[in-house]
Amino acid sequence: MNRPRHPGHTERNPTPGTPPRQRTLDTREKALNSNPTHQDTSADPTTGWWTEAVIYQIYPRSFADSDGDGVGDLPGITARLDHLTELGVDAVWLSPFYPSPQADAGYDVADYRDVDPLFGTLADADKLITESRARGLRVIVDLVPNHTSSAHRWFAAALAAAPGSPERDRYVFRDGKGPDGAQPPNDWQSVFGGPAWTRITEADGRPGQWYLHLFDTGQPDLNWDNPQVRAEFLDVLRFWLDRGVDGFRVDVAHGLIKQADLADWEEPQEILSGQTVDKPRPPMWDQDGVHEVYREWRALLDSYPGERVLVAEAWVEPAERLARYVRPDEMHQAFNFEFLLASWTAPAQYAVITRSLEATDAVGAPTTWVLSNHDVVRHASRLGLDTSAGRPNGVGIGDPQPDAALGLRRARAATLLMLALPGSAYLFQGEELGLPEHTTMPDEARQDPTWLRSGQTQRGRDGCRVPIPWEADAPSYGFGPTDASWLPQPPMWAEYALDRQRGTPGSTYELYRTALRLRREHGLGRGTLRWRETGDEVLAFDNAGLTVLTNFGPTPVPPPAGELVATSGPLDADSRVPADVTVWVRAS
Ligand code: GLC
Ligand code: MG
């Protein structure tokens, strides 16, 4: 049964006769290297670079290791920047590289204005920023405002100070419940498992107050009602803006403000579950007060020359609620996790694409798309899992294993569908190689706090964080100069290595390159989506002179008329589009 079509509801130029949006600055031609305060116009909500950008997430630990210690680093990234320009992305987002005890792979920041020696020096960061921008690549860094590391000087000061002191007030300290204060202040659970509260020992040696950590014990939550916290982060933003970064990915953007009464919440916490429409909003997520923080940040970014952007990592549903983070005076983008979480069926994909476009159109923000990141099972494996029993938080030995061939086939189709959509898209390092999750990693090798904190019931996120393969026959597959790799690489990594795929027709890498080139040439990111077919098995739409068709069903279908310019997999013997294949066709 065909779903009703909704002509026009995804039109992105509301006024008839409005000329198509033109970019004021071509990121390729006008090198961004002149200096970080180049004189392009301030952020324009409809034509800014981010509205159609393809942004590549670098997870520094696992991208490229320059010194052979088994951990990727900033000089390693700088040495591999040409890969990103060859691939054809517009910007990079770097996961945290700041000084950190690495309790949560760097999302536990001890100093927001420096670089961890593991990753290099501040001079290495400057060089990476300069060299990226010299190639026309924008640079977004990660900002972690919900919590610091327990090794942050503020937390040390809070522990040394007395209950009720200004030092404690920068975090969320409370007395415990029960006669001896031996019970946590409320029933909140950590996202990684276990209670969200840890009791401290006071300076005099007695059992003392409790502090809140929605994540690991090494990640105490900040108190965003405290003016010092607000001032500090404005200053951290300035620090990196002055160094020339193009923007910030804001970690746990929906978590900063907690409901004032810290009311009990009888539910477990899950980083990926988000909130559903039919349940009340949890007291720790998506509180209205967060928006005031982002308005202040936006004003600061707008006071800088160039087009600097804020991107929200907010696990918030539904799309209308998420859209509040990208209202005109707030952030520029928010990750579309509803798209990432959507099932691989035509009705589910149709629904999420339509809803996403409508929700962001309503606030005049660009829509974003994402399929993989460092927190979820890579889509080349996720789409090969039987998820009827729910979506696993990691896959390990003994768990049901994905169908690798099916997963890759669907992942390629999903990517080709995603890259044809109007808006901005995020890629996670390695997905351009069709890299699967490492699903048989020995549990002893696991580093994600999720595994231990969940009492070894949730395998966690290590499987998507494995260092990526560059060269099939080199030590650590070319990740670094030695065999060392902070997480073990699976034996079959060689077949995914970049040097095996580069120039190989039909390889996943060449598919990404083709798609990114065509996306740029056609201006797909700034186009208008018009549905052609929205059945139960096939989706097809037009965008900027291309027709895109994905076959989700088992029955092969004829491709749309025109010249076939990209396909995620081979057509069948009768030139039809088989199951789990996306094609791009140019009207002839
Ligand atoms: C975000 C990050 C994740 C991290 C968490 C706590 O969700 O993406 O990796 O563990 O925040 O900072
Ligand atoms: Mg290293």
Side-chain angles (χ1 to χ4, degrees):
M1 191 191 70
N2 267 10
R3 278 153 188 270
R5 296 184 191 167
H6 303 271
H9 69 166
T10 47
E11 296 279 336
R12 301 181 65 81
N13 290 317
T15 327
T18 306
R21 290 185 292 149
Q22 290 293 322
R23 301 180 59 173
T24 50
L25 185 79
D26 186 300
T27 52
R28 293 290 144 186
E29 284 161 18
K30 296 205 178 170
L32 308 167
N33 61 344
S34 43
N35 69 55
T37 55
H38 61 283
Q39 291 301 309
D40 54 352
T41 54
S42 71
D44 179 318
T46 54
T47 61
W49 65 271
W50 71 92
T51 60
E52 57 178 307
V54 176
I55 303 172
Y56 183 98
Q57 178 187 1
I58 293 183
Y59 195 64
R61 304 174 73 81
S62 305
F63 188 70
D65 177 21
S66 72
D67 57 6
D69 67 349
V71 181
D73 42 50
L74 302 187
I77 300 170
T78 305
R80 294 277 190 187
L81 285 175
D82 289 341
H83 167 62
L84 303 178
T85 43
E86 183 184 276
L87 180 61
V89 298
D90 301 296
V92 295
W93 146 38
L94 299 157
S95 278
F97 47 74
Y98 316 108
S100 161
Q102 308 290 326
D104 182 23
Y107 282 94
D108 46 324
V109 180
D111 180 353
Y112 291 85
R113 298 180 185 78
D114 205 347
V115 173
D116 196 295
L118 196 59
F119 300 120
T121 62
L122 209 44
D124 293 330
D126 288 339
K127 183 153 186 242
L128 172 53
I129 296 168
T130 316
E131 295 265 320
S132 301
R133 304 187 94 260
R135 287 167 174 77
L137 286 170
R138 309 259 178 180
V139 179
I140 292 174
V141 294
D142 218 308
L143 184 78
V144 188
N146 181 67
H147 43 265
T148 69
S149 162
S150 53
H152 192 280
R153 65 190 158 82
W154 275 5
F155 196 68
L159 292 183
S165 60
E167 288 84 355
R168 290 242 168 130
D169 190 57
R170 294 189 287 223
Y171 293 93
V172 185
F173 279 87
R174 293 287 185 279
D175 293 333
K177 282 191 184 157
D180 311 318
Q183 302 300 317
N186 69 22
D187 67 355
W188 294 4
Q189 298 293 298
S190 148
V191 170
F192 296 153
W197 295 90
T198 291
R199 192 172 197 186
I200 64 157
T201 303
E202 299 292 346
D204 63 10
R206 281 185 302 174
Q209 287 196 300
W210 298 70
Y211 69 91
L212 177 69
H213 51 88
L214 291 179
F215 295 89
D216 189 61
T217 47
Q219 295 167 295
D221 279 58
L222 286 162
N223 170 18
W224 274 86
D225 294 324
N226 181 307
Q228 279 185 41
V229 171
R230 293 191 184 221
E232 170 69 2
F233 275 87
L234 284 169
D235 199 60
V236 169
L237 289 171
R238 278 187 211 105
F239 179 86
W240 290 103
L241 289 167
D242 290 342
R243 301 195 100 79
V245 303
D246 295 284
F248 302 89
R249 175 265 188 190
V250 181
D251 190 66
V252 198
H254 58 317
L256 273 50
I257 304 284
K258 280 79 182 173
Q259 194 173 295
D261 60 1
L262 301 182
D264 278 345
W265 173 250
E266 285 146 16
E267 307 275 334
Q269 280 303 341
E270 278 182 46
I271 194 165
L272 301 189
S273 66
Q275 295 82 53
T276 48
V277 220
D278 47 359
K279 275 199 263 170
R281 201 141 16 92
M284 68 292 284
W285 301 132
D286 195 28
Q287 302 296 304
D288 289 343
V290 295
H291 297 285
E292 190 187 314
V293 175
Y294 304 134
R295 292 203 174 97
E296 215 179 341
W297 292 6
R298 175 62 180 261
L300 174 68
L301 263 69
D302 284 350
S303 76
Y304 271 76
E307 300 178 311
R308 322 284 183 118
V309 305
L310 293 166
V311 185
E313 186 224 19
W315 295 91
V316 170
E317 288 174 2
E320 294 73 34
R321 197 75 205 169
L322 181 63
R324 292 159 51 96
Y325 288 75
V326 290
R327 288 177 288 194
D329 58 346
E330 297 193 39
M331 301 218 200
H332 299 76
Q333 289 188 339
F335 292 109
N336 185 349
F337 293 127
E338 215 175 318
F339 180 67
L340 183 153
L341 297 171
S343 326
W344 184 248
T345 67
Q349 295 287 322
Y350 168 76
V352 73
I353 292 168
T354 304
R355 256 205 317 269
S356 304
L357 290 167
E358 283 173 353
T360 43
D361 278 359
V363 291
T367 317
T368 70
W369 312 101
V370 61
L371 289 165
S372 278
N373 65 31
H374 66 294
D375 288 329
V376 299
V377 174
R378 282 183 177 275
H379 67 290
S381 297
R382 192 173 71 233
L383 296 173
L385 282 169
D386 172 10
T387 48
S388 50
R391 192 176 289 100
N393 182 354
V395 179
I397 293 171
D399 292 333
Q401 295 290 307
D403 176 334
L406 179 69
L408 181 57
R409 182 182 177 81
R410 289 185 170 169
R412 292 167 53 118
T415 297
L416 210 54
L417 170 61
M418 171 176 88
L419 290 177
L421 295 170
S424 165
Y426 280 80
L427 306 180
F428 177 45
Q429 66 179 37
E431 68 166 86
E432 75 276 26
L433 307 174
L435 214 58
E437 185 88 356
H438 188 345
T439 57
T440 55
M441 183 183 296
D443 288 335
E444 314 80 75
R446 294 197 177 277
Q447 311 237 357
D448 181 355
T450 303
W451 173 237
L452 286 183
R453 286 195 59 86
S454 69
Q456 308 196 342
T457 57
Q458 303 284 319
R459 287 223 150 78
R461 305 161 292 172
D462 294 306
C464 64
R465 299 175 174 181
V466 175
I468 61 174
W470 298 89
E471 290 143 38
D473 301 318
S476 64
Y477 303 108
F479 165 61
T482 65
D483 267 330
S485 167
W486 71 281
L487 284 173
Q489 297 168 298
M492 75 291 190
W493 239 215
E495 67 188 79
Y496 295 97
L498 176 65
D499 67 349
R500 288 266 172 96
Q501 298 197 37
R502 217 162 160 230
T504 307
S507 70
T508 302
Y509 175 67
E510 292 301 337
L511 175 67
Y512 270 74
R513 281 192 66 200
T514 301
L516 290 170
R517 179 176 50 77
L518 289 168
R519 182 184 154 90
R520 186 185 294 275
E521 283 171 13
H522 282 262
L524 298 179
R526 58 176 178 275
T528 302
L529 181 148
R530 285 192 191 83
W531 290 109
R532 273 192 174 213
E533 197 176 337
T534 58
D536 280 346
E537 295 189 343
V538 172
L539 289 185
F541 59 84
D542 291 322
N543 180 18
L546 291 187
T547 302
V548 177
L549 180 147
T550 303
N551 186 0
F552 296 85
T555 320
V557 297
E563 179 200 354
L564 185 72
V565 292
T567 176
S568 69
L571 302 189
D572 74 3
D574 301 321
S575 298
R576 290 172 309 177
V577 183
D580 298 317
V581 167
T582 297
V583 293
W584 290 7
V585 171
R586 187 157 37 208
S588 40

